[in-house]
Amino acid sequence: MTDRVPVLKIGDILLVSIQTDLEDQMVMDLQDDLSHRIVETNAKGVVIDISALEIVDSFVGRMLATNASISRILGAETIVVGMRPAVAMTLVELGLSLKGVRTALNLERGLRLLRRLTAAPADRA
Amino acid sequence: MKQYATGAPAETVAVTSSSDVVTARQMVRTLAQRSGLSLVHQTKLVTAASELGRNMLVYGGGGVVRAAPVSDEGRRGIFVEFTDEGPGIPDVELALTDGWTSGNGMGLGLSGAKRLVDEFEIESGPGGTTVRIVKWGR
């Protein structure tokens, strides 16, 4: 059994703070857990904090992108926060642009962005 | 690839599961830190090692990761070798093309890893695949 990344509920937001070096199985479990929790809790937004991640490879990058798409279909916005500069530079060179994934510099800005996005959903095309 | 002088005996990790991939990339990171690679260089090298380690596990059925500090003309770097005894890659040129994938990946494993390092060499045949990379500090 591998460890699971905790998914915390705060109001109508789900917070995921990744604190360990991710094994592929943990990445897949997280994707599963998140989609279920969004439906279960009727969450409007998901914040994924990756500030502790020393690397994001194509597997984790794909999870972040897929997760953003799944969440959107389930009615929740996803913001990825805290990416380290070295990780961002590496991702771009690797060829992953994380299209469709909203990002913010840190948790505080991510939450602010999420509040704005979920406050007026009708304004968005 | 040139045979570089190694600064210490090579360290190895046998990869048979995804947790071994994590162990292998931690080994590579420790070596890179010890050799004084910058944070960005470390991150690129460890990310490349993660891609190649996973490839080896998924397509080669697992294998061995061997890493050592190397030096050349005053430069210091890290050499990493990934060896498996899998079925081999039928068309290496094709496999190095961006977006090419034989399975459910994004097709960035080999081509992406190649972009992240300074030297990249691949040998593949029916008896297995060996990928060698070097990342220099400067």
Side-chain angles (χ1 to χ4, degrees), chain A residues 8 15 22 35 38 45-46 50 61 66 69 71 74 84 90 95 104 110 118:
Chain A
L8 310 174
L15 175 64
L22 291 173
S35 2
I38 290 170
V46 178
I50 60 166
T66 308
S69 306
S71 309
L74 295 174
R84 298 182 180 193
T90 303
T118 53

Side-chain angles (χ1 to χ4, degrees), chain A residues 21 24 57-58 62 93-94, chain B residues 25 50-51 54 104 115:
Chain A
D21 204 344
D24 289 2
D57 62 13
S58 66
R62 183 161 55 128
E93 204 162 326
L94 188 62
Chain B
R25 67 187 186 217
S50 186
E51 300 291 343
R54 178 181 303 107
N104 47 15
R115 272 195 298 275

Side-chain angles (χ1 to χ4, degrees), chain A residues 16-20 48-56 80-85 87 104-107:
Chain A
V16 180
S17 181
I18 302 172
Q19 293 296 327
T20 49
I48 304 179
D49 177 11
I50 60 166
S51 56
L53 279 190
E54 291 179 333
I55 66 157
V56 171
V80 173
V81 304
M83 185 183 292
R84 298 182 180 193
V87 170
L105 211 53
N106 54 41
L107 186 56

